[in-house]
Amino acid sequence: MLSKPMDKNFEELCYSCRTGDMDNVDRLISTGVNVNSVDKFDNSPLFLASLCGHEEVVKLLLQRGAVCDRDRYEGARCIYGALNDAIRDTLLSYDISKAVDVKQPFATHISSIYNEESFFNRDISFRVSNDQLYTAHRFLLCARSTILAGKMAHEWVRNDVILSEVRSDILEIFFKFLYLIPVLHQIEPEQYEELIKLSNEFSIELLPEFLDKARHIADPTDKSRLMSDYQYKFTEVARNQLLVFVNNCIFGSAVDLADKEQLPISLMNCSAYPDILLSVQNRNGSIRIYPCHLAVLSRAEYFKIMFTHNLKEKVEYVKAKHLLGKYGSVIPQLTLPNCEFEVAEIILRYLYADNTDIPWMYAIDVLLVADILLEDRLKTIASTIITQSKEFIQQYNVFDVLYLSWEIGVERLEQFAAKFIAIHLQELYNDPEIKRAIVLSSERISLRQETDTVELVDDIRYYLLRKYSFEPDDVELFENQDDLEYLKQVGYLEYRKDMEIVDDILSRLNLDV
C-alpha cells in the first residue's frame, strides 16, 4: 500500500499534538492546515492529542474545527483511545454543532466588528425593501467578493445603496455570513433559494454549494456535520481573501514619502477604502504610509486601548485640505514602532488575515513589535518560529535570546536557551557569557535567601537530565554503581562531567545553590 503524501505543516501539527506543544499547534492551525485530515497511519491530530493525554491541545483542536463524531470511526477512536477520563469526558460532551472554529482569534475578531459601533467606521449603508437600514465596512465587502469590489468602485460610489429587491432577513444573514458569524443553523428552508440567488449574484464562494447540499439533508446529525465541515472552509476562504486584499489593496496602495506631511490624495481614494493611515519608518529613515482600517488594527490591544481611551497624544491628526470629505479636515494617522517594512507587513498580514508566515530572519523584530502592541499570541508564534529554526541559532547568540526572553517575558524562549546551553555545555564552558548569564539570573530573584536557587541553573540541570534521558531516581542508582563500563555505556559519566562543569561555574561565582 502506498503511503499518503503529507503536507509539511500537517506532519508538524501531528508531531506537536503527540508532544503536547500547544503553542506550535496554535501556530500551525493558523496557517490553514486541515485539522480534520489524517496522517499516513490514518491518525488525526485530535486522535494523537487524545491518545497522548494532552487535554489542552484537545480543547484547542475542538475549538478550531476538529470534529469528534462518536457515530463515526475516527470519533470513536478518539473517545476510546483517550489517555484519561478528563479527555474522554471533554470529547463526549463537546457538541458537534459547536465544533467550528468560531473561537479562532481571526474569525472572532471579524465577527465582533459586525456589532461593534463605538469607534469602527462603517462607511456604506444598504436600504432594503422594508426600508430597514444595514451598515457595513467597504473594505471587508471588497475583500470578500470581486463583484462587490467592482460595484463599490463604479455603481456604489455614494455611501447609501438601495437594494429594493432584497428582503431584510436575507440581507442580514448574508452580511453575518460575510463577517464570519456562524449563522448556518439559523437559516430556514424557505430562505435557501433567496440566499443562493443573492450569493450567486455577488459570486460568494462556497455558500451556494453548502445551501444546495443542506436543503437535501433531513437528518439533523448529518446537517450538523455538514455545517461543521463548511464553517471551517468558510473561514479559510475568508482568510485567503483578506490576505489577497492586504497584498493587493493595502500594500499595493502604500506610499513611500520623503516628507510625511506630503500625503498624496491616492492614499484616501485607493481600493483599500481606508479610515486610518499607518506610518512606518525603517532603520534608514525612509517612511511608508499604509492605508488601513481601525476595525482591524484594533485587534492589537495597544491600538484598541489607544482609541477606546481616547489617547489623542498617541494619534497624529494630519491636516490635508485635499483629502476632505467624510473624514473632515483631518486624517487619523498612527505610527508603528520603527522597523523594517517587511516586519510591518508581516504584522499587517497577521492582523488582517491571521497569516503566521514569519521568516526566521524577521522573527526577533516581529517579537519586539508584537510586545509593544501587546499582541501576546503573535509573540508566542514568533518565539515558536525562533525555537523551531535551525538557521536562527546559527546566526544569533543563544545568550542574546536568553536576555531577550527575560526582557519581554517569553518563557518559551527562556526554556529554549536553557536547553541549548545544557546540550552544548562543554563547548560553552569557557565562554564568559555563561557566567554572566547565571549571575544575571541570580539577580532576578527578589529578596534572595541562602536556600534560593537560580532559575537558569535549575533549568540547565533539568535539561541535562533530558539530554541523557535520565530521571532523578536514575541518578541516585548510578551514584551507587561501581561498574565504570556500565556507567559509561548509559552516559552517566558524561552527565557527571556536565554537572561538574555547572558546579565549577557556581563555585567560581561564589554561588551556593
Side-chain angles (χ1 to χ4, degrees), residues 47 73 92 104 113 175 189 217 245 265 359 399 425 431 501:
F47 172 74
Y73 171 69
L92 286 169
Q104 178 180 338
I113 68 176
F175 277 158
I217 297 175
F245 177 81
I265 194 168
F399 296 105
L425 187 60
D431 189 335
I501 288 175

Side-chain angles (χ1 to χ4, degrees), residues 396-454:
Y396 286 86
N397 186 301
V398 68
F399 296 105
D400 291 336
V401 175
L402 177 65
Y403 302 148
L404 177 64
S405 74
W406 290 343
E407 179 184 344
I408 62 177
V410 180
E411 185 178 356
R412 186 185 187 97
L413 288 184
E414 185 175 358
Q415 297 300 314
F416 167 76
K419 182 178 180 180
F420 184 91
I421 293 169
I423 292 173
H424 301 276
L425 187 60
Q426 295 182 26
E427 304 165 35
L428 297 170
Y429 175 45
N430 293 317
D431 189 335
E433 203 63 41
I434 191 171
K435 300 180 182 63
R436 177 170 179 263
I438 290 174
V439 170
L440 290 175
S441 181
S442 70
E443 292 173 350
R444 284 165 54 82
I445 302 174
S446 59
L447 301 177
R448 178 177 172 78
Q449 305 293 325
E450 290 183 4
T451 56
D452 280 341
T453 59
V454 176

Side-chain angles (χ1 to χ4, degrees), residues 113 120-126 136-159 161 179 242 245-246 248-254 265-278 290-297 326-327 331-332 352:
I113 68 176
F120 299 149
N121 293 311
R122 299 187 185 208
D123 47 6
I124 189 166
S125 62
F126 297 85
H137 301 83
R138 281 181 179 269
F139 84 90
L140 186 65
L141 301 186
C142 288
R144 300 287 271 123
S145 164
T146 54
I147 302 294
L148 286 173
K151 287 186 173 293
M152 297 282 180
H154 301 102
E155 298 176 43
W156 297 346
V157 178
R158 293 173 59 86
N159 292 343
V161 176
Y179 280 82
L242 276 159
F245 177 81
V246 169
N248 293 346
C249 299
I250 294 181
F251 299 163
S253 302
I265 194 168
S266 62
L267 270 173
M268 300 309 295
N269 289 343
C270 69
S271 57
Y273 299 101
D275 57 31
I276 199 162
L277 304 179
L278 185 67
Y290 295 95
C292 294
H293 310 88
L294 183 56
V296 175
L297 295 188
K326 60 187 172 135
Y327 297 94
I331 304 168
Y352 274 85

